[in-house]
Amino acid sequence: MKDKSKILALLLVGFLVYGCSEREATVKFVDDIDCDSEISGYAKDSIRIEENFNLWDWKISEGIAVLRTSEASNFIKVYTYPEFDLLYTFGAQGRGADEFITHNWCKTKKAGELSLYDIMKRSLYVFDINRDTIVKKHTYRLSENGDGLCRPYTIMLEINDSLFLMKEDFDKTVLHLTDMKRREDLSSYVCSYREENGGDARAYTAYDYDFDLIGDKVLLAYKHADRMELLQISPNNEMSPIVIMGERSKAKEEYVYLDVCTDGINFYCLKCTNHKNRTGNELIVVDVDGDISQKIYLDKEVGTIQFDATGCLVGYAEHEIGATFYRYEMNLNASLLK
């Protein structure tokens, strides 16, 4: 019996090693994030706002633009879109039931929805939002670490009412796929790039990344390295890399990718071309298979990008006084050409 048990154990180990090797073998490595297809983009129109609010995050829904600013109170500003006339503000600072000690943005895919989380209150809130009102519809308790403190989440994305992608940055950088209704991590993806370059607990910002989602594909675009990783979420909710592109050496000090968004078909990554102003005019278009399908050179430098409900790309540029929103039609075959 002992011999049989040893044989079964060896077979099991063999299968596990083989399975891991098979999974690793499916990862495609690409050295350079580049392609030969390049076009120029010209803004179809623009709107200037004579207000300095230091935009941190934003979302465009049908008929409204929702902006999260650096202000302590009234940090959410709701504008008409595309006119950008101010409708109302939201967000009170404090410890009360409807107030925020700290406020952080959670990306949402659903139109007419806003999501924010408060690390100090260990809470995540989902709101319905329109031209007139904001109504809270869900409150979730955030997970704690081994010390009983709220996990230090830095970026979140709501997939649906239950599932969230939540990036935690501390001694490791970990992307969690979490069922918030059950308060259960379904799977986690550890940033191997940070681990391979020392894994310094004090240096997580050097290996910070933004991310977005199309279907079961998640694209990570690193802020301080010319590097992207395409992950796939399996039917049993496991996350694994399928394409790793770009640098493997230590991250840079300057910014590389400023933002990533999607039109539901492709990922659009904004590359920093003006390090002094932390803006850029170069878009890297990545399809759901991880192929670089297009490079677009915008006629304006912007700091962040979003898509509106009509499929136009909207870029935001902050000035010394005021800010401008530029709109671009995203027909890659024709309408961007001069």
Side-chain angles (χ1 to χ4, degrees):
M1 290 294 292
K2 288 182 179 179
D3 290 340
K4 286 184 178 180
S5 298
K6 287 180 180 179
I7 292 170
L8 287 172
L10 288 170
L11 286 171
L12 179 59
V13 170
F15 283 132
L16 288 172
V17 171
Y18 177 78
C20 290
S21 299
E22 282 295 289
R23 284 194 294 273
E24 288 175 4
T26 61
V27 180
K28 177 183 176 183
F29 291 91
V30 179
D31 291 332
D32 298 314
I33 301 176
D34 204 356
C35 72
D36 295 328
S37 180
E38 299 181 357
I39 58 176
S40 297
Y42 299 87
K44 61 178 289 188
D45 56 42
S46 64
I47 294 289
R48 185 178 175 92
I49 298 178
E50 299 299 330
E51 180 180 0
N52 287 84
F53 39 64
N54 190 16
L55 180 66
W56 280 355
D57 298 284
W58 58 316
K59 175 181 180 177
I60 300 175
S61 288
E62 187 69 45
I64 60 171
V66 183
L67 280 55
R68 172 179 168 254
T69 71
S70 62
E71 296 179 16
S73 292
N74 297 320
F75 54 85
I76 296 294
K77 301 184 185 298
V78 183
Y79 288 83
T80 62
Y81 180 81
E83 303 85 3
F84 281 97
D85 295 323
L86 183 63
L87 292 168
Y88 59 91
T89 61
F90 166 80
Q93 187 178 36
R95 298 180 178 271
D98 295 317
E99 296 175 329
F100 293 82
I101 301 174
T102 60
H103 56 86
N104 297 88
W105 185 264
C106 173
K107 294 183 181 181
T108 53
K109 290 295 183 182
K110 187 176 179 181
E113 197 168 80
L114 167 70
S115 187
L116 301 165
Y117 64 99
D118 188 331
I119 290 286
M120 298 301 292
K121 285 191 170 185
R122 307 183 187 189
S123 296
L124 168 65
Y125 309 102
V126 181
F127 301 86
D128 283 326
I129 185 167
N130 56 40
R131 293 170 71 98
D132 303 307
T133 57
I134 293 179
V135 179
K136 188 190 299 180
K137 66 174 185 176
H138 295 301
T139 300
Y140 298 111
R141 182 74 173 174
L142 295 175
S143 297
E144 299 170 353
N145 60 24
D147 297 324
L149 302 174
C150 183
R151 285 179 176 173
Y153 296 112
T154 53
I155 303 177
M156 293 187 188
L157 184 150
E158 179 186 2
I159 300 175
N160 56 42
D161 284 345
S162 178
L163 291 180
F164 288 76
L165 286 167
M166 313 173 77
K167 182 165 75 70
E168 174 188 5
D169 284 300
F170 191 52
D171 56 344
K172 294 180 181 294
T173 295
V174 186
L175 183 63
H176 302 280
L177 177 61
T178 304
D179 185 328
M180 288 301 293
K181 288 184 178 178
R182 294 158 53 189
R183 291 191 68 196
E184 178 185 355
D185 287 339
L186 304 179
S187 63
S188 298
Y189 176 70
V190 178
C191 177
S192 60
Y193 178 43
R194 179 179 172 187
E195 301 296 300
E196 290 164 2
N197 286 281
D200 189 343
R202 299 164 298 175
Y204 74 85
T205 52
Y207 299 95
D208 195 10
Y209 56 76
D210 197 1
F211 62 86
D212 213 326
L213 172 86
I214 300 176
D216 62 352
K217 304 290 180 61
V218 185
L219 183 72
L220 318 182
Y222 282 79
K223 294 184 178 180
H224 296 280
D226 196 5
R227 178 185 174 97
M228 299 180 191
E229 298 171 16
L230 184 68
L231 313 182
Q232 183 162 28
I233 303 173
S234 71
N236 63 346
N237 293 316
E238 290 294 326
M239 287 187 293
S240 56
I242 56 175
V243 182
I244 295 178
M245 298 175 278
E247 294 179 0
R248 302 183 198 180
S249 58
K250 202 166 185 179
K252 304 175 173 66
E253 288 187 11
E254 66 267 18
Y255 272 77
V256 179
Y257 292 104
L258 299 169
D259 204 358
V260 56
C261 67
T262 86
D263 60 357
I265 301 171
N266 294 299
F267 298 96
Y268 293 75
C269 303
L270 176 62
K271 197 166 186 178
C272 185
T273 52
N274 185 329
H275 297 288
K276 180 181 178 181
N277 296 330
R278 200 180 295 175
T279 56
N281 71 325
E282 181 180 338
L283 297 180
I284 307 295
V285 185
V286 185
D287 66 23
V288 293
D289 295 319
D291 294 322
I292 311 300
S293 59
Q294 195 92 66
K295 288 174 73 173
I296 304 171
Y297 293 95
L298 305 178
D299 63 335
K300 307 294 181 184
E301 289 184 352
V302 295
T304 178
I305 51 175
Q306 284 287 310
F307 276 91
D308 67 14
T310 69
C312 285
L313 181 85
V314 186
Y316 169 86
E318 195 154 292
H319 314 301
E320 188 173 340
I321 299 176
T324 303
F325 294 88
Y326 301 98
R327 289 204 304 165
Y328 297 84
E329 291 182 341
M330 282 289 109
N331 182 340
L332 298 186
N333 296 320
S335 64
L336 283 176
L337 300 178
K338 189 172 183 180

